[in-house]
Amino acid sequence: MRLSQMLWVTLREDPAEAEIPSHKLLLRAGFIRRIGSGVYAYMPLMWRVLQKVSQIVREEMNATGALECLLPQIQPAELWQESGRWDTYTKAEGIMFSLVDRQKRELGLGPTHEEVITAIARDMIKSYRQLPQHLYQIQTKFRDEIRPRFGLMRGREFIMKDGYSFHTSPESLKKTYADMDKAYRNILTRCGLSFRPVEADSGAIGGSGSQEFMVLADAGEDEILYTEDGTYAANVEKAVSLPADVVASPFSSFEKKETPNTETIAKVSEFLKCSPTNIVKNVLYQAVYDSGKTILILVNIRGDQDVNEVKLNNELVKLAPYYDAKTIISLTVPDQNAQQKWASKPLPLGYIAPDLSDDYIAKSAQVEGSFLRLADETVKDLENFVTGSNETGYHVVGANWGKEFTLPKLVVDVRKAMVGDRTLHDPTQVLQTARGIEVGHIFQLGTKYSEAMGATYTSEAGKEEPFVMGCYGIGVSRLAQAAVEQSYDKDGIIWPRAIAPYQAIVIIPNVSDEQQVKAAEQIYNDLNQAGIDTLLDDRNERAGVKFKDADLVGIPYRVVTGRSLKDGKVEFVKRATKEAQDIAIEDVVQTILND
């Protein structure tokens, strides 16, 4: 491709809306153009990158025996109502674009396709003889992001590969799950990325187990906790660990003490000269279920620990049937405005005790009339602990479960694992941290969707059984930007060779110099004939502009027909290392092929 014929505009300054390096660089280098909030056009260079990523994904998926298809982007609400996810996606998480057509039918623009594919399987797969099956697609998805940001990382429209498998047993599912684990590792390796697979929370997709694939980058939105020996890695939302050992309590008898201005753990620990591990802190949450019921939750957790709200949300979803519900719409720490709607009197914030009275909930309030009380596992064995007294300015010390306070019946793991924690598999290993960009996620769904939607097959024994399912997603457009976030320098993008829009760029410093033009044309043709995608910068621009643009756009190899032509040579530059050398014109093709 000749740059003189390409619709391509670069920017010298960072666009105002761009926050992270990859977003800035993709806009500046002319790969994408912003059309609206969270909506981008893929310009010719970007489209080539996306096609190369898609082809790698397609090849690895096909190698596993998966079959490509294309599913509708517009989906009827009835399917999502069957699965129970319509309210979750349109109200709770609120990420689905929904609309009503002229016949008053509710529809959604698909952020994912579990319901559609399950309905297809329900209609087409009748017998165990037809199983297993694995279908996938590569197409545009939609998410109604509240605050689109970071370009293609968190946009409202994105390209994704999503696959779905159907099985007769969990054992069959696990085989395909393992195949996808291998395929995803192959995809990311072939794309030239540094990555880490991690245990993950399944979120609104659901299922018994899932794994994310994180491209490592300092600007990653996700925190990864991992061990140096490589045997454990998890998203912080999912991570588990051993908390620090409890320091012996300095208190031996129960007593109420005046503790002015000690509304934080750090302040009360310093005032009472005790370890945060001796303290039970009591955190208040407010949850709204999809049935419309609002509940107040009091969580008891050790003072040196924090609540993992994803884990807490999962525990509350398990209790949804008790509230005539299926899921949680919102989970928040109630602020002063929220408290005013249900509190009968001011709460002793910072001094709440595990036995906070239900009398604090006004009888006229539109919430359940008592606190749901649960304790994190870190507090169940504490002795002679410090906690609030339900009176501002006072704490109690030397408290014990079964004496001064009643341990809640619900004792669960809702603590957030932290850097430096010991690991469960080997207490000599401690958790370390890294930032990552999630580009892939695979799930063992089990029978969640097939049971909800009545999708069954006839087993070998002649019984109707629900499909055992898996689903597997990888963000094509997200992966492309993640590659930039992982590999750039002060001058621009450094594309991995496998997914670069072009592998080489031939630059003519002076287009009025016939010798330079003739040599460039020869090299350009030779490279393309050798299967090396090549750009020819034949623009009537200064050489410095061309060199800056070449660095900005990040093509792996640069060939310059400059001063060394008189010796039958050209300048050859590797973008990643900026290593430059003069090589013979006839050696250019082989040099790139051998690198």
Side-chain angles (χ1 to χ4, degrees), residues 400-416:
N400 289 278
W401 301 114
K403 294 177 68 176
E404 289 79 23
F405 298 105
T406 300
L407 183 69
K409 293 180 180 178
L410 284 172
V411 179
V412 292
D413 171 26
V414 291
R415 66 176 284 271
K416 183 183 291 184

Side-chain angles (χ1 to χ4, degrees), residues 6 19 46 134 207 280 399 413 449 488:
M6 180 182 284
E19 298 177 59
M46 191 69 198
H134 187 179
V280 172
D413 171 26
Y449 294 93
Y488 66 91

Side-chain angles (χ1 to χ4, degrees), residues 242-251 264-266 268-270 272-281 300-306 376-387 396 398-401 415 418 421-422:
L242 295 171
D245 290 335
V246 176
V247 176
S249 174
F251 307 106
T264 67
I265 294 297
V268 73
S269 176
E270 181 180 1
L272 293 173
K273 301 295 188 287
C274 68
S275 165
T277 66
N278 303 140
I279 302 172
V280 172
K281 67 179 175 182
N300 315 133
I301 190 168
R302 212 170 73 184
D304 62 325
Q305 303 297 316
D306 292 318
D376 180 68
E377 291 175 350
T378 53
V379 302
K380 67 180 180 180
D381 296 321
L382 285 185
E383 297 177 347
N384 295 317
F385 56 79
V386 176
T387 193
V396 295
N400 289 278
W401 301 114
R415 66 176 284 271
M418 298 184 292
D421 283 352
R422 296 164 298 160

Side-chain angles (χ1 to χ4, degrees), residues 221-239:
E221 288 187 276
D222 293 287
E223 182 181 5
I224 303 163
L225 296 177
Y226 67 95
T227 56
E228 192 65 41
D229 65 0
T231 59
Y232 182 77
N235 189 308
V236 70
E237 296 175 346
K238 179 74 172 179

Side-chain angles (χ1 to χ4, degrees), residues 523-569:
I523 296 167
Y524 171 67
N525 290 327
D526 289 346
L527 287 170
N528 280 311
Q529 287 174 9
I532 300 168
D533 293 334
T534 304
L535 273 174
L536 176 63
D537 193 345
D538 59 343
R539 296 174 297 164
N540 187 18
E541 288 279 3
R542 290 180 289 109
V545 171
K546 296 182 179 184
F547 296 152
K548 280 187 175 295
D549 282 345
D551 280 343
L552 178 62
V553 81
I555 306 301
Y557 303 105
R558 183 173 81 203
V559 180
V560 184
T561 56
R563 296 189 185 93
S564 53
L565 269 182
K566 64 181 185 300
D567 300 318
K569 295 182 177 182

Side-chain angles (χ1 to χ4, degrees), residues 196 225-233 423-432:
R196 190 183 293 273
L225 296 177
Y226 67 95
T227 56
E228 192 65 41
D229 65 0
T231 59
Y232 182 77
T423 62
L424 296 180
H425 75 281
D426 180 358
T428 65
Q429 292 283 322
V430 296
L431 293 178
Q432 301 187 41

Side-chain angles (χ1 to χ4, degrees), residues 13 96 98 170 224 298 300 417 438 455 487 498 507 521 524 554 564 570-571 592 595:
E13 302 296 330
M96 179 186 276
S98 58
I224 303 163
L298 189 63
N300 315 133
E438 179 197 342
S487 188
I507 294 178
E521 291 279 1
Y524 171 67
S564 53
V570 291
E571 183 185 44
I592 293 177
D595 190 51

Side-chain angles (χ1 to χ4, degrees), residues 44 116 314 376 468 475 505:
V116 169
N314 291 341
D376 180 68
V468 178
I505 181 168

